[in-house]
Amino acid sequence: LKLASSRGTARKCVFGPHRKKHHTTHHHASVAATAPSPCFPPFMTVFYGTVREFSVKSGFGFLEADKQVDPSKLEGAPTDAKLGAGIFVHSTGINSTSTMVPSLEPGERVKFSLKWTEKGVQAVDVMREDGGEVRPTTLHRVQLNGVCAGLVSSWNEKKGFGWITCDITKEALRSQRVPERAVDLNSMKAYVSRSDLGHNLHELAENLPVIFNLYWDEKGLGATN
């Protein structure tokens, strides 16, 4: 973080041009499953597997089932349905009542159900292998473009952290694809710790005007630099 200019720095978050996202569609590829293990019977709705990859920024990833899955046995699926390179999972399919943004860790063991969508097989009701809720164990920062400004609303000198009221709109955050849950957390205030202060700034104080880079993670908005 840096002190805002005393000459009247405009307290507006200035974002750079938004780059269009290229949607990943390779999970829809019609690649026939070749694993030798038997398919799940059609009456089974619970599957076990491992998280192959998950992007917090994109909000989706892929799972690997322990046994071969026959998608043609899913309700609504065509008889010639094939499984792609992995089982697609979206963050909305993660079973979580936490206020945090849901995410998965590569290698994490999970159990889940499957459904057939117009885009192919998708995992839903994803939870821990023991049936518990999935809770993020690591925070993944997603840096936003541009520079933001605001006022320090609180600062705990002893513990070395505080909160900043940002001059920013929900629309500006949505334009950079910040998840709704991250936008709504903490009344849109940005968390800041002493370790994120700039080189020339060692402490903060309430009502201090600052400029900073904005990021989001599973716990909401944050300020750094």
Side-chain angles (χ1 to χ4, degrees):
L1 279 76
K2 304 175 184 66
L3 292 176
S5 170
S6 60
R7 300 179 65 179
T9 301
R11 291 174 51 229
K12 291 288 184 182
C13 295
V14 182
F15 290 134
H18 175 62
R19 295 182 179 179
K20 291 185 177 179
K21 272 195 159 185
H22 297 284
H23 295 286
T24 305
T25 57
H26 60 274
H27 68 283
H28 308 316
S30 296
V31 179
T34 57
S37 54
C39 295
F40 281 99
F43 55 82
M44 292 188 68
T45 58
V46 177
F47 300 82
Y48 292 84
T50 304
V51 179
R52 191 181 77 191
E53 60 182 290
F54 191 86
S55 169
V56 176
K57 181 177 181 179
S58 301
F60 67 84
F62 297 91
L63 309 178
E64 293 287 352
D66 288 347
K67 296 183 179 180
Q68 183 178 345
V69 175
D70 183 356
S72 67
K73 297 190 183 326
L74 297 175
E75 183 179 356
T79 56
D80 60 347
K82 302 296 182 182
L83 188 66
I87 299 172
F88 179 78
V89 56
H90 192 270
S91 60
T92 56
I94 300 174
N95 189 335
S96 175
T97 59
S98 169
T99 57
M100 296 172 63
V101 178
S103 64
L104 297 169
E105 288 293 325
E108 186 174 4
R109 293 287 300 167
V110 291
K111 77 173 184 177
F112 52 93
S113 297
L114 295 175
K115 72 174 182 178
W116 179 263
T117 73
E118 60 180 12
K119 294 184 178 180
V121 179
Q122 183 169 332
V124 294
D125 200 24
V126 181
M127 59 186 71
R128 294 201 319 256
E129 187 175 33
D130 62 6
E133 282 190 12
V134 174
R135 295 289 183 109
T137 57
T138 303
L139 298 180
H140 305 83
R141 289 191 177 187
V142 179
Q143 195 83 22
L144 300 185
N145 298 326
V147 178
C148 199
L151 291 175
V152 178
S153 57
S154 65
W155 177 252
N156 188 317
E157 183 176 353
K158 184 177 180 180
K159 296 183 177 180
F161 75 90
W163 298 90
I164 296 175
T165 300
C166 310
D167 190 358
I168 189 172
T169 65
K170 287 186 176 183
E171 288 70 24
L173 293 173
R174 292 184 184 118
S175 72
Q176 293 212 45
R177 300 184 182 276
V178 180
E180 288 294 327
R181 193 173 294 192
V183 171
D184 294 333
L185 279 170
N186 309 313
S187 302
M188 289 183 58
K189 290 182 180 179
Y191 172 83
V192 58
S193 68
R194 185 177 284 120
S195 61
D196 281 307
L197 301 182
H199 297 298
N200 299 321
L201 192 60
H202 305 291
E203 291 292 337
L204 296 178
E206 289 187 15
N207 297 319
L208 186 71
V210 290
I211 56 175
F212 51 91
N213 295 119
L214 196 63
Y215 69 86
W216 67 268
D217 60 23
E218 286 87 341
K219 288 189 174 182
L221 300 177
T224 186
N225 297 330

